[in-house]
Amino acid sequence: MKEQIDINRLPQHVAIIMDGNGRWAKQHGAERTMGHQHGIQPVRDVSEAAAELGIKYLTLYAFSTENWNRPAEEVNMLMHLLVDTIEKETPTLNKNNIRLLTIGDTDRLPLAVHEKFERCIEQTSANTGLNLVLALSYSSRSEITQAMQDIARMATYGGVRVEDINEDFVSSCLQTKNIPDPDLLIRTSGELRLSNFLLWQMAYTELYFTNICWPDFDKQEFYKAIIDYQHRERRFGKTSEQVTK
Ligand code: IPE
Ligand code: IPE
Ligand code: MG
């Protein structure tokens, strides 16, 4: 499948809503937490596949602000899984020249988790290959609201004029400020919604949905999504004739 990918037309940024861990576990007669444990290997595989292909940005939705409302037991288990994984995977990230970044309200994470992430971000900061962006305690509406507050503050006290506030300016106030907008969004598990993920940034993103639950997602499924993306015509409001000229 990899051979069918045109490496000259790769998406620069792929975002993934990794969904369906709980249902996968249920289908296997196991607890939801088991599904989360089985969700780690696909993260490794997809990061490696993206790095090998030469994709520059991969953003993974790992935990939403709304996910804090899940049963405490599940939230705790997810936090432990995050600490364990980040600790174990840092050498592999370095081996694969991957730089880790995070978006989201990471201050809300337990201190130990927060510190592990800070350390990994620092230890991988010199890597020049794939930028792996983990969305943790992330909510797009809260990110946009935060940006609005910052802009209001700059307009009130920082000498920013109302006419300076254009789309680029708004983008530069988001947590994704140095990251290009996603070209392709993948969501697993058959759900057809965005669940508060990168709403501003995905204005023109190509959407790809698959029924496969996240623990079953692998490199082949990732290649399939990219091949599908490469068959799309991105028109950005123009006519087909205009964009193929
Ligand atoms: C995605 O799987 C992982 C997280 C949201 C942390 P889910 O846990 O949402 O699995 P389903 O959707 O209940 O099957
Ligand atoms: C979205 O999945 C968040 C993550 C994958 C981290 P959810 O399972 O929380 O989304 P909903 O509740 O089905 O919309
Ligand atoms: Mg879900």
Side-chain angles (χ1 to χ4, degrees):
M1 184 120 2
K2 197 179 173 188
E3 308 76 58
Q4 292 175 42
I5 296 176
D6 177 355
I7 50 155
N8 298 311
R9 287 176 50 245
L10 284 175
Q12 195 185 5
H13 182 179
V14 179
I16 307 184
I17 303 177
M18 310 183 288
D19 199 11
N21 292 352
R23 277 164 286 162
W24 183 91
K26 203 167 172 198
Q27 285 157 18
H28 290 77
E31 297 288 321
R32 293 181 57 79
T33 51
M34 174 82 155
H36 296 314
Q37 278 159 1
H38 282 262
I40 302 298
Q41 188 57 39
V43 172
R44 285 194 200 101
D45 291 346
V46 169
S47 307
E48 195 178 86
E52 283 167 357
L53 283 171
I55 289 171
K56 288 309 291 181
Y57 295 89
L58 177 68
T59 300
L60 303 178
Y61 203 4
F63 193 81
S64 74
T65 302
E66 291 75 18
N67 290 150
W68 288 115
N69 299 320
R70 291 192 177 191
E73 205 183 306
E74 180 169 344
V75 172
N76 286 338
M77 182 271 165
L78 279 166
M79 293 300 140
H80 280 109
L81 193 61
L82 282 172
V83 173
D84 268 16
T85 308
I86 206 68
E87 188 136 71
K88 280 195 204 123
E89 298 299 320
T90 306
T92 314
L93 293 177
N94 281 325
K95 191 187 97 208
N96 292 332
N97 196 21
I98 298 174
R99 179 165 79 131
L100 184 81
L101 301 166
T102 57
I103 54 171
D105 188 3
T106 48
D107 287 348
R108 254 185 101 174
L109 297 170
L111 192 62
V113 184
H114 189 80
E115 284 177 355
K116 287 267 151 54
F117 273 95
E118 289 301 310
R119 193 162 320 142
C120 181
I121 288 169
E122 195 194 303
Q123 287 174 350
T124 61
S125 62
N127 293 339
T128 55
L130 174 73
N131 293 283
L132 175 62
V133 186
L134 287 189
L136 290 165
S137 190
Y138 177 82
S139 145
S140 183
R141 284 188 169 186
S142 134
E143 178 189 35
I144 293 168
T145 306
Q146 192 71 54
M148 285 176 166
Q149 291 179 353
D150 290 346
I151 293 169
R153 226 172 272 124
M154 286 186 267
T156 311
Y157 310 110
V160 167
R161 296 173 309 164
V162 170
E163 52 276 25
D164 294 336
I165 304 168
N166 55 26
E167 292 184 12
D168 286 341
F169 189 85
V170 175
S171 292
S172 77
C173 294
L174 297 172
Q175 294 192 326
T176 49
K177 56 177 169 286
N178 298 315
I179 302 173
D181 290 340
D183 300 294
L184 169 65
L185 169 81
I186 300 169
R187 183 169 188 151
T188 58
S189 87
E191 302 299 352
L192 308 179
R193 54 177 171 263
L194 297 180
S195 302
N196 208 0
F197 190 41
L198 302 173
L199 303 178
W200 168 277
Q201 296 87 339
M202 295 210 290
Y204 263 105
T205 298
E206 295 296 328
L207 309 179
Y208 177 90
F209 297 101
T210 168
N211 287 331
I212 290 181
C213 284
W214 180 249
D216 285 332
F217 200 82
D218 58 13
K219 285 189 179 188
Q220 293 306 314
E221 293 298 330
F222 185 65
Y223 298 148
K224 223 198 260 181
I226 291 172
I227 292 162
D228 191 280
Y229 163 85
Q230 292 189 327
H231 286 96
R232 313 265 184 106
E233 182 179 72
R234 302 185 78 189
R235 291 193 285 277
F236 299 97
K238 295 183 178 174
T239 66
S240 183
E241 290 69 26
Q242 283 177 299
V243 293
T244 49
K245 200 165 59 179

